Amino acid sequence: MVEHITGMLALIGVLSLLCQWAGWKFRLPAILPLLLCGLLLGPGLNILNPDEIFGDLLFPIISLGVAVILFEGALTLNFKEIKDHSRMVTNLVTIGALITWACITPAAHFFMGFDWPVAFLFGALVVVTGPTVIVPMLRTVQPKSNLSSILRWEGIVIDPIGALFAVLVYEYVAVTADPTTHVLYALGLTLVIGFGIGAAAGYFIGVALRNNVFPHYLRNTAVLTIMLGVFVGSNLLQHESGLLTVTVMGIWLANMRGVDIADILEFKETLTVLLISALFILLAARLDSSAMLGLGIGAFGVLFVVMLIARPLSIWISALGTSLTSNDKWFLSWVAPRGIVAAAISSLFAIKLEELGVHGASSIVPLVFFIIIGTVVIQSLTAGPWAKFLGVKEGSNQGLLIFGASKFSRDLASQLLAKNIKVILADSNWDSIRQARMENIPVYFGNPASEHAENYMDLSGIGRVLVMSPYRQLNPLVSFHFQDLYGTEKVFGLNNNETNVGSGRHQLSESYLKRLCLFGESISYAKIASLMAKGAVLKVTNITENFSYEKFRQRYGETAMPLVYITKDAKLKIITGETEKLPVGIELISLLPQEAQEQAIIQRERDEEAARLAKIKAEEEAKAAAEARAIREAEEAEQRAIEKARRKEEELAKFEAEEKLRLLEEEQAALIEQATAEKEVEAINTKLAPESAEVVVETDAQQNNIADDTAKSDKQ
């Protein structure tokens, strides 16, 4: 029996690791492989029976695991961060959560037949989304940066708030379900103990951490142990008040001034991953297949309300007064997968409520798992096409994550941000991060390869990683982490020549060294830091047809260091080797050492002198050309005058010839006309000749008669 239990524990650990790896490898929420694994081992093959293996220890194990999960989630709830983020996030985790709760509660009551107290508890449980399911989905979908930020911070903030809300509702349901207690007294005592002891414990732990009461190697262990002790002590003082106590304790500690909880968070995250993985397999294995099938059609009705009524309603009401477009709101309305926190808390509450004999408690866990499966599977498969249809997907990932926030990195980030290229600086040195913040550069304080960074660092729009830090031990870890995420061709590092020198224990792998080619194989962090300390500056240069890359080299010399350039279509290219030629039409960002700047001044003076001489020569040539042009124009004018006179003489001669010809033609026409007239007269005379003779005869006779008559008269 002992060997069997040991084997099951080892199996759960190995399968937890495999499920987490599968989620990372295929960019899926880890909850899916964990859920499938638990269902397969439990109801499917009946290999794992948590109640049989752990017996009476199952409830304490789940209870302590949920306490750690709630405490870790509460440590992330910094009220200042809520204020620093958009109004939309604040509305979603307050007004939106209440709207969601108000919609789901009656759905659970009417569709599933839950009593109102159980329905209220179920509604509170499924309000929580959580970063463990949101972040992998956002990496796959890649929506616009503002939408990704809203969803990520909603999941981070709603996690502890929703858990606290669910605990409060549970406390009320548990107290009212116990006939031996007075409701108001028990609820009031629970709230007083939970908030009082939680705030006091958080304060005293904060003071201890601030004053370094615990040595560094005991800090994480001390906080975890004290938290578990407070959880058990609170339960002893008031039944089931421990969850509220540790949640308040974590929130108080997260908002206490002067307390550094970064190391604690990192430790709790590692522990939480193990607990969540193991707990989820155990909880899924406890599911009864008949209970899942017995949910009936009502479960689909509840899922319909969760996805298509509660979520859109909370989004559209929370977005009032914001700058979100309709497409943005429709996308946000579709993405709200439920996560592991809901499953863990619901399982714990269900066990406790079943002990109290609350009607419907046995159906809470199957229904919560059904909602988790439905939201995660459906939205994981459809969120990408839906974002593409709405036009809210991020463009090509041209942004950079730069590990190392030195002066050089900050200057490069400022230049790129001015060109609308997204940049995030990550560093574990607070002074460097503070300087970057003062320069309005987006930053992440901490190890970018950590679990905390995975949930909190907004990598939307980021497509490449530049490792430019002085941390030789951490650089390979960051490089390998992001090579797994983006691919080996998207991660570059500076070539520290001294890295692989020395004993074998300090040597690095060849695959890693091949990627140390950023800005050229001879460029190292030490070299850049030295150049910056000596006054090197970054400069943006337009490479054009008139000012080619060859002229750039001629002006600044071989010491100038090309870094990156931006093409005409706003694509960012990173220079990773010796460059002899660059295309025209780009904006080149380069590092100019002091020598290059001095050479540029000398070369500029030479260019100016050459330009002055060229200008004088050009003016002289222009003057000579003007004089030659004036002489040529005078000659051309004289030639035109001669040509004009010649053309005039030709026109006059032509006119005289035409006039003479016209006169001859007129004279000839007159002669022809005269001859024609004479011919016509002659013809007429010829025709009238006989008639004329007769007339003459008659005339002569008449004249003779007249003469005779005259003579007779004279005689008389």
Side-chain angles (χ1 to χ4, degrees):
M1 182 64 182
V2 175
E3 290 78 6
H4 176 68
I5 296 176
T6 305
M8 287 294 101
L9 290 175
L11 178 63
I12 292 173
V14 172
L15 292 177
S16 299
L17 175 63
L18 290 177
C19 291
Q20 290 286 349
W21 178 85
W24 162 79
K25 183 66 176 179
F26 299 104
R27 296 192 176 185
L28 295 172
I31 191 173
L32 283 179
L34 288 170
L35 178 61
L36 293 175
C37 182
L39 292 175
L40 182 63
L41 292 178
L45 302 176
N46 199 24
I47 296 175
L48 178 62
N49 189 338
D51 295 282
E52 179 181 328
I53 294 175
F54 296 99
D56 294 337
L57 291 177
L58 179 62
F59 175 76
I61 290 174
I62 296 176
S63 183
L64 292 176
V66 171
V68 174
I69 293 172
L70 288 179
F71 180 67
E72 190 272 336
L75 284 176
T76 64
L77 183 57
N78 191 315
F79 293 120
K80 182 179 180 299
E81 290 183 348
I82 299 177
K83 294 179 181 178
D84 290 343
H85 286 84
S86 65
R87 176 181 177 184
M88 182 65 183
V89 175
T90 305
N91 291 345
L92 276 177
V93 300
T94 53
I95 301 173
L98 292 176
I99 293 173
T100 303
W101 181 54
C103 292
I104 297 175
T105 297
H109 174 71
F110 291 108
F111 286 116
M112 298 301 301
F114 287 170
D115 292 339
W116 280 111
V118 178
F120 281 125
L121 178 59
F122 174 79
L125 288 170
V126 294
V127 163
V128 181
T129 56
T132 55
V133 286
I134 285 290
V135 172
M137 188 179 297
L138 293 178
R139 287 179 180 171
T140 303
V141 176
Q142 295 182 349
K144 293 190 300 186
S145 179
N146 63 325
L147 301 181
S148 178
S149 178
I150 289 172
L151 290 172
R152 178 180 284 103
W153 279 103
E154 179 199 8
I156 292 170
V157 177
I158 197 65
D159 209 347
I161 289 180
L164 176 61
F165 181 52
V167 169
L168 290 174
V169 175
Y170 163 75
E171 297 293 350
Y172 174 77
V173 174
V175 168
T176 56
D178 188 353
T180 63
T181 61
H182 188 276
V183 174
L184 294 180
Y185 170 77
L187 182 60
L189 185 60
T190 299
L191 295 178
V192 169
I193 291 177
F195 282 97
I197 295 180
Y203 173 77
F204 285 112
I205 290 179
V207 172
L209 293 175
R210 185 191 297 165
N211 296 325
N212 296 316
V213 173
F214 305 110
H216 187 271
Y217 75 95
L218 281 180
R219 282 167 58 96
N220 296 332
T221 305
V223 172
L224 176 63
T225 305
I226 293 174
M227 183 273 297
L228 293 177
V230 170
F231 170 72
V232 175
S234 179
N235 280 338
L236 292 176
L237 291 176
Q238 175 61 26
H239 187 59
E240 304 304 345
S241 63
L243 294 178
L244 177 60
T245 302
V246 296
T247 304
V248 174
M249 176 182 169
I251 294 174
W252 188 281
L253 193 59
N255 291 274
M256 193 170 176
R257 291 184 179 179
V259 179
D260 184 11
I261 60 173
D263 294 339
I264 300 172
L265 265 176
E266 187 172 352
F267 171 72
K268 292 294 188 300
E269 286 162 3
T270 304
L271 183 61
T272 302
V273 169
L274 176 62
L275 283 174
I276 284 177
S277 302
L279 275 180
F280 209 72
I281 291 178
L282 289 174
L283 296 175
R286 289 187 73 248
L287 284 176
D288 187 356
S289 57
S290 60
M292 291 286 291
L293 297 175
L295 293 175
I297 196 67
F300 291 94
V302 175
L303 180 62
F304 177 86
V305 172
V306 169
M307 295 181 62
L308 300 179
I309 296 179
R311 180 63 176 179
L313 194 60
S314 66
I315 288 294
W316 284 82
I317 293 178
S318 300
L320 293 176
T322 66
S323 60
L324 293 176
T325 65
S326 296
N327 286 353
D328 294 340
K329 296 173 189 176
W330 283 121
F331 174 74
L332 294 175
S333 298
W334 185 245
V335 181
R338 269 52 182 181
I340 293 176
V341 174
I345 299 176
S346 65
S347 299
L348 179 62
F349 289 171
I351 294 174
K352 294 180 178 181
L353 292 178
E354 286 177 7
E355 292 177 354
L356 294 174
V358 176
H359 176 68
S362 60
S363 299
I364 291 179
V365 175
L367 186 57
V368 168
F369 273 80
F370 180 81
I371 298 299
I372 291 173
I373 296 171
T375 54
V376 172
V377 172
I378 295 174
Q379 293 175 5
S380 296
L381 295 176
T382 59
W386 182 238
K388 186 176 182 180
F389 173 76
L390 295 174
V392 297
K393 285 182 70 69
E394 189 76 53
S396 57
N397 296 330
Q398 295 298 309
L400 292 179
L401 170 64
I402 300 178
F403 178 50
S406 63
K407 178 67 167 59
F408 170 74
S409 298
R410 297 196 300 271
D411 290 350
L412 178 59
S414 297
Q415 295 285 1
L416 293 174
L417 288 171
K419 303 299 179 182
N420 296 321
I421 302 294
K422 182 175 180 179
V423 180
I424 298 176
L425 292 184
D427 205 315
S428 56
N429 185 307
W430 172 248
D431 290 334
S432 299
I433 291 296
R434 181 176 56 83
Q435 289 290 336
R437 283 182 173 175
M438 292 175 64
E439 298 173 20
N440 295 320
I441 301 173
V443 297
Y444 175 77
F445 176 51
N447 179 7
S450 66
E451 183 74 18
H452 183 270
E454 185 175 354
N455 291 331
Y456 286 80
M457 188 165 55
D458 182 10
L459 293 178
S460 59
I462 300 296
R464 281 160 293 187
V465 179
L466 306 184
V467 180
M468 301 190 299
S469 84
Y471 316 125
R472 297 180 184 174
Q473 303 301 323
L474 195 54
N475 286 346
L477 174 64
V478 174
S479 296
F480 288 130
H481 174 79
F482 286 101
Q483 282 179 14
D484 293 335
L485 184 61
Y486 293 117
T488 56
E489 301 300 321
K490 300 293 185 180
V491 181
F492 307 93
L494 292 173
N495 180 21
N496 296 323
N497 296 325
E498 68 278 8
T499 299
N500 235 30
V501 178
S503 62
R505 73 180 66 184
H506 298 297
Q507 292 186 356
L508 300 172
S509 66
E510 290 296 327
S511 61
Y512 171 68
L513 293 175
K514 288 180 180 179
R515 305 310 304 161
L516 301 181
C517 56
L518 183 60
F519 310 141
E521 295 182 357
S522 61
I523 309 301
S524 65
Y525 177 85
K527 181 177 181 179
I528 290 179
S530 175
L531 292 175
M532 294 296 293
K534 294 178 182 178
V537 296
L538 271 74
K539 181 176 177 58
V540 180
T541 307
N542 290 319
I543 303 300
T544 62
E545 293 285 353
N546 296 327
F547 192 81
S548 63
Y549 182 67
E550 289 75 13
K551 291 185 178 180
F552 170 85
R553 278 298 185 193
Q554 182 181 359
R555 170 170 293 186
Y556 296 105
E558 294 301 321
T559 59
M561 188 186 304
L563 305 173
V564 298
Y565 63 87
I566 304 172
T567 63
K568 295 179 180 178
D569 53 352
K571 302 293 185 182
L572 179 66
K573 303 294 183 181
I574 299 172
I575 297 175
T576 58
E578 300 300 328
T579 304
E580 297 181 357
K581 187 175 182 181
L582 290 177
V584 298
I586 64 171
E587 292 181 282
L588 174 65
I589 301 178
S590 56
L591 178 66
L592 302 181
Q594 191 66 33
E595 296 85 349
Q597 298 174 50
E598 294 172 355
Q599 179 171 338
I601 294 174
I602 297 173
Q603 187 63 38
R604 189 177 293 109
E605 291 176 352
R606 291 176 180 174
D607 292 342
E608 290 175 354
E609 180 64 19
R612 187 181 65 82
L613 296 176
K615 183 179 180 181
I616 294 174
K617 183 178 180 181
E619 290 176 351
E620 292 176 351
E621 292 177 351
K623 183 177 180 181
E627 293 176 354
R629 185 168 58 254
I631 295 173
R632 187 173 62 254
E633 289 177 352
E635 293 176 350
E636 291 176 352
E638 182 180 359
Q639 187 65 29
R640 286 196 300 272
I642 295 172
E643 184 67 20
K644 184 177 180 182
R646 184 184 62 77
R647 285 199 304 270
K648 189 173 182 180
E649 290 178 358
E650 290 178 353
E651 291 176 355
L652 181 60
K654 182 179 179 181
F655 175 76
E656 291 176 352
E658 290 177 349
E659 187 67 21
K660 289 180 180 180
L661 180 60
R662 185 180 63 79
L663 293 175
L664 289 174
E665 288 178 351
E666 289 180 354
E667 183 178 357
Q668 184 178 3
L671 292 174
I672 292 173
E673 183 179 356
Q674 181 178 2
T676 303
E678 290 177 353
K679 288 182 179 181
E680 290 178 354
V681 170
E682 183 179 356
I684 293 171
N685 291 335
T686 305
K687 182 179 179 182
L688 297 178
E691 296 179 357
S692 300
E694 292 178 359
V695 173
V696 170
V697 172
E698 290 180 356
T699 302
D700 291 341
Q702 290 178 356
Q703 290 179 352
N704 291 331
N705 290 334
I706 293 173
D708 289 342
D709 291 337
T710 303
K712 289 178 179 181
S713 298
D714 291 339
K715 288 179 178 182
Q716 294 176 357

